[in-house]
């Protein structure tokens, strides 16, 4: 598994004439010319921008790199939810749960005084495991149909590298849905069973120990933990 390269199939070329691109440019053009801004996109809009303009989405999810809240500004422009059929949905860094590798393989482009970071489709898909609605299943199928990636083995490797996504939630009223949704994904997308502790957590903990110079991975011990 260590030789698997799972991210070299995406060029990250951005089509700013897509609906998402046009909406973002309208927002960017209304920002103060003297300022400097950096936004990170997530959700489905990055797939439309970089893979297929025909893939629709209800909104464009993003957050500011410095976590500034742009809600009031967006409402003032009439681009918020309830004001337009296709709208901007501002969030925060904590709104996008994905892999530690996201920053390293994302594409950042500059439009005037605005920098835009567009995550790799792998990180977008992993972020969708938080909800995994029917439209999220569709996103997985579309990406795989177009690129052949990620394969089941590639995606398993990515999830092992993102093992902390499978930790118990801090808030009992908002449980962590990554474990159960990952099992659902495996059943529906690849028609196979997945044991999160055996197939993701144990190998990841074993590799983490090996990286610290500990004895060879003991998977039975990792499972018990």
């Amino acid at each position: 598994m260590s030789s698997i390269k799972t991210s070299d199939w995406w060029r990250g070329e951005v089509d700013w004439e897509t609906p998402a691109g046009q909406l973002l440019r309208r927002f960017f053009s209304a920002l103060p010319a003297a300022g400097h801004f950096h936004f990170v996109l997530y959700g489905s809009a990055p797939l439309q921008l970089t893979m297929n303009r025909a893939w629709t989405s209800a909104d464009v999810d993003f957050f500011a790199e410095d976590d500034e809240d742009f809600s009031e500004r967006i409402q003032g422009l009439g681009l918020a939810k309830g004001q337009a059929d296709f709208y901007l949905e501002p969030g925060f860094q904590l709104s996008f749960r994905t892999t530690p590798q996201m920053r390293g393989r994302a594409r950042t482009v500059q439009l005037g005084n605005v920098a835009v970071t567009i995550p790799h489709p792998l990180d977008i898909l992993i972020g969708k495991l938080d909800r995994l609605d029917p439209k999220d299943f569709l996103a997985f199928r579309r990406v795989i149909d177009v690129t052949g990636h990620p394969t089941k083995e590639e995606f398993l490797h990515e999830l092992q590298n993102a093992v902390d996504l499978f930790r118990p939630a801090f808030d009992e009223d908002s449980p962590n849905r990554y474990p159960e949704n990952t099992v659902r994904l495996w059943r529906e997308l690849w028609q196979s069973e997945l044991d999160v502790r055996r197939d993701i957590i144990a190998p990841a903990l074993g590799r983490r120990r090996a990286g610290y110079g500990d004895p060879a991975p003991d998977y039975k011990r990792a499972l018990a933990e």
Side-chain angles (χ1 to χ4, degrees), residues 2 9 47 49 79 114 134 145-146 164 177 185 204 220:
S2 60
W9 45 266
L47 302 180
L49 283 165
L79 302 178
V114 179
D145 286 346
V146 169
D164 290 330
R177 293 168 292 191
L185 178 78
K220 290 184 178 179

Side-chain angles (χ1 to χ4, degrees), residues 150-218:
T151 66
K152 179 171 65 172
E153 292 74 21
E154 288 170 346
F155 203 59
L156 181 64
H157 186 70
E158 290 295 324
L159 293 178
Q160 290 169 356
N161 286 336
V163 66
D164 290 330
L165 290 174
F166 296 88
R167 290 182 180 275
F170 295 128
D171 185 358
E172 293 182 359
D173 294 329
S174 300
N176 184 355
R177 293 168 292 191
Y178 270 80
E180 64 180 280
N181 285 346
T182 301
V183 171
R184 286 175 53 216
L185 178 78
W186 244 253
R187 288 173 178 168
E188 184 155 338
L189 196 62
W190 289 301
Q191 294 79 51
S192 62
E193 292 296 322
L194 176 82
D195 185 313
V196 170
R197 295 195 64 81
R198 180 194 66 206
D199 300 323
I200 296 176
I201 297 174
L205 293 181
R207 289 211 301 267
R208 181 173 287 176
R209 289 194 183 93
Y212 287 140
D214 290 343
D218 184 342

Side-chain angles (χ1 to χ4, degrees), residues 10-163:
W10 179 72
R11 293 185 177 182
E13 297 176 352
V14 183
D15 182 358
W16 291 108
E17 296 304 318
T18 57
Q22 293 180 35
L23 180 62
L24 285 166
R25 285 190 297 154
R26 181 179 171 188
F27 169 54
F28 298 158
S29 67
L31 295 172
H36 294 279
F37 305 90
H38 189 172
F39 300 109
V40 180
L41 307 183
Y42 62 105
S44 294
L47 302 180
Q48 182 188 103
L49 283 165
T50 65
M51 300 193 73
N52 190 324
R53 63 177 298 130
W55 295 352
T56 59
S57 175
D59 56 18
V60 176
D61 297 297
F62 74 95
F63 60 84
E65 184 68 40
D66 61 2
D67 257 357
E68 181 179 348
D69 188 353
F70 281 82
S71 299
E72 290 187 8
R73 186 181 295 272
I74 289 170
Q75 290 173 357
L77 294 170
L79 302 178
K81 186 175 183 179
Q83 295 180 309
D85 292 333
F86 187 45
Y87 56 91
L88 293 173
E89 186 72 80
F92 300 95
Q93 294 197 42
L94 289 174
S95 305
F96 183 35
R97 299 184 64 211
T98 190
T99 63
Q101 288 83 7
M102 189 275 283
R103 299 281 180 179
R105 60 191 173 202
R107 171 91 185 274
T108 298
V109 296
Q110 192 77 32
L111 289 178
N113 62 337
V114 179
V116 185
T117 293
I118 303 170
H120 192 285
L122 273 170
D123 300 301
I124 294 296
L125 293 178
I126 289 174
K128 288 181 175 296
L129 287 173
D130 191 29
R131 291 189 307 181
L132 204 61
D133 293 334
K135 66 177 182 178
D136 300 319
F137 274 113
L138 180 59
F140 273 91
R141 291 195 173 96
R142 282 173 166 172
V143 172
I144 292 172
D145 286 346
V146 169
T147 69
H149 301 276
T151 66
K152 179 171 65 172
E153 292 74 21
E154 288 170 346
F155 203 59
L156 181 64
H157 186 70
E158 290 295 324
L159 293 178
Q160 290 169 356
N161 286 336
V163 66

